[in-house]
Amino acid sequence: AMLNSPMSASDQAPMVGAAAACIAAGVLVFSGSLYVLVLADLRWLGAVTPLGGVLLIVGWVLITVAALRAAPV
């Protein structure tokens, strides 16, 4: 394999899959914890909400890295 050749889209599939999982989990944790916090008044869930935000950020970073690796040079 050539060292400077861009990676194909199929090479990025695991990273994109991980990104999708992080974003899906992030939405569920972030939004879900806020819904439960408001509806059930479980104050301790306020500490869980930022974890969902971190998962969302990680997902977007993975998508960005995959796109940059797949982009032609």
Side-chain angles (χ1 to χ4, degrees):
M2 295 175 64
L3 293 177
N4 291 333
S5 66
M7 301 178 86
S8 69
S10 63
D11 294 335
Q12 299 306 315
M15 189 176 298
V16 173
C22 285
I23 289 175
V27 167
L28 288 174
V29 173
F30 184 82
S31 300
S33 64
L34 290 176
Y35 274 110
V36 175
L37 177 69
V38 169
L39 296 176
D41 198 32
L42 298 175
R43 305 299 290 172
W44 61 270
L45 276 177
V48 176
T49 304
L51 297 176
V54 169
L55 285 169
L56 287 166
I57 292 168
V58 168
W60 281 110
V61 168
L62 288 173
I63 287 174
T64 303
V65 169
L68 291 174
R69 286 186 178 177
V73 179

